[in-house]
């Protein structure tokens, strides 16, 4: 079967893809976008089956960036989705660049189901459960970076608490390098998350610059949730009151806090270090 080609940036399918930049449209349709070879390959490895893959072969080798091997990898990925019966649509460069949401597009973009699951469906039975709770984090890039850390350290889940953005935000997908599809994720209110934590007997290790204890001075073994807050406001009073431990990361400069994704990484790697040694 021949694969259709769209040349006009005003095509209705192109307009529908552009509309998915808006959270309301993503929530209404239950769809989002994955752009880039690396991100799409990881999503496929995680079991995601795209509805459609959009291709612009002209962008497969941006000047000075990609070589023959890269083109071969992209061709292999297309063969992989073809074998799975996924629709492939070719776009002209103007049409693809209208849909692309990042600079340096590599000519691959997929329409997939939105990511995430109900809080109650997260894997929570492990005796050494380790999760990350991100309360009110504003920037998609920070959420994505935390997901990359979560994937690297092998934690069980990440929960966006009182989320400002959604897991299907294309910039979260991009910043996570596709790991949003590999790590179980959910979104819920603070009250829902605190109830879930009590139900599953999770100790809450909450990061705050005002804490007396350093992040290395508490026990992360067993069932633990590491909690980080927004860079502007930190965690709220409800989370602080529920904390089993309040911890801070030592700072020797003039700033009183790190980027939230960096803070999460520092504390999670301490948890992983303790668990490995004990």
């Amino acid at each position: 079967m021949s694969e259709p080609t769209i040349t006009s940036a005003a095509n209705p399918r192109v307009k529908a893809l552009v509309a998915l930049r808006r959270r309301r449209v993503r929530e209404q349709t239950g769809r989002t976008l994955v752009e880039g070879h690396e991100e799409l390959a990881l999503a496929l490895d995680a079991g995601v089956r795209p509805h459609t893959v959009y291709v612009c072969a002209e962008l497969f080798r941006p000047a000075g960036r990609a070589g023959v091997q890269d083109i071969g990898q992209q061709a292999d990925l297309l063969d992989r989705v073809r074998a799975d019966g996924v629709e492939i649509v070719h776009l002209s460069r103007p049409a693809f660049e209208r849909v692309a949401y990042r600079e340096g597009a590599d000519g691959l973009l997929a329409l997939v189901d939105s990511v995430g699951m109900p809080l109650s469906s997260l894997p929570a039975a492990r005796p050494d459960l380790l999760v990350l709770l991100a309360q009110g984090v504003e920037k998609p890039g920070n959420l994505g970076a935390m997901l990359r850390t979560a994937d690297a350290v092998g934690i069980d889940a990440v929960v966006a608490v009182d989320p400002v953005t959604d897991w299907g935000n294309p910039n979260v997908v991009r910043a996570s390098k596709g790991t949003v599809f590999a790590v179980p994720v959910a979104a819920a209110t603070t009250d829902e998350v605190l109830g879930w934590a009590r139900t599953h007997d999770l100790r809450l290790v909450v990061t705050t610059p005002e804490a007396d204890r350093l992040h290395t001075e508490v026990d992360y073994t067993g069932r633990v949730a590491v909690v980080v807050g927004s860079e502007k406001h930190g965690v709220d009073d409800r989370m602080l009151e529920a904390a089993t431990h309040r911890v801070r990361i030592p700072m020797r400069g003039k700033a009183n806090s790190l980027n939230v994704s960096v803070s999460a990484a520092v504390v999670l790697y301490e948890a992983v270090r303790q668990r490995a040694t004990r």
Side-chain angles (χ1 to χ4, degrees), residues 132 145-146 149 153 228 259-270:
L132 173 65
M146 285 188 279
T149 298
V153 303
V228 296
N259 174 279
V260 63
S261 65
V262 175
S263 297
V266 169
V267 178
L268 286 173
Y269 270 100
E270 172 61 19

Side-chain angles (χ1 to χ4, degrees), residues 116-124 131-133 157-161 167 184-200 202:
M117 62 181 69
L119 189 64
S120 59
S121 298
L122 289 177
V131 301
L132 173 65
L133 308 180
V158 180
V159 181
V161 187
W167 289 119
V185 296
T189 66
T190 294
D191 290 339
E192 289 170 338
V193 168
L194 290 177
W196 178 79
R198 287 191 296 270
T199 298
H200 295 287
L202 282 167

Side-chain angles (χ1 to χ4, degrees), residues 39-142:
E39 291 83 350
L40 181 53
L42 196 150
L44 294 174
D45 290 342
V48 174
R49 186 181 187 277
H51 294 277
T52 307
V53 172
Y54 293 88
V55 181
C56 179
E58 186 179 349
L59 294 171
F60 273 14
R61 187 166 56 181
R65 289 190 53 196
V68 174
Q69 183 180 6
D70 298 289
I71 292 176
Q73 291 172 343
Q74 290 166 318
D76 289 343
L77 186 145
L78 287 177
D79 288 341
R80 180 178 176 184
V81 296
R82 283 190 186 100
D84 198 28
V86 174
E87 179 189 35
I88 295 177
V89 176
H90 296 265
L91 298 181
S92 67
R93 184 166 186 160
F96 194 96
E97 288 178 341
R98 184 177 180 198
V99 173
Y101 52 86
R102 66 182 188 182
E103 296 181 2
D106 65 7
L108 287 172
L109 181 142
L111 178 66
V112 302
D113 287 332
S114 291
V115 68
M117 62 181 69
L119 189 64
S120 59
S121 298
L122 289 177
R126 291 168 56 96
D128 57 347
L129 183 70
L130 178 62
V131 301
L132 173 65
L133 308 180
Q135 187 186 46
V137 173
E138 307 98 331
K139 296 179 180 178
N142 283 333

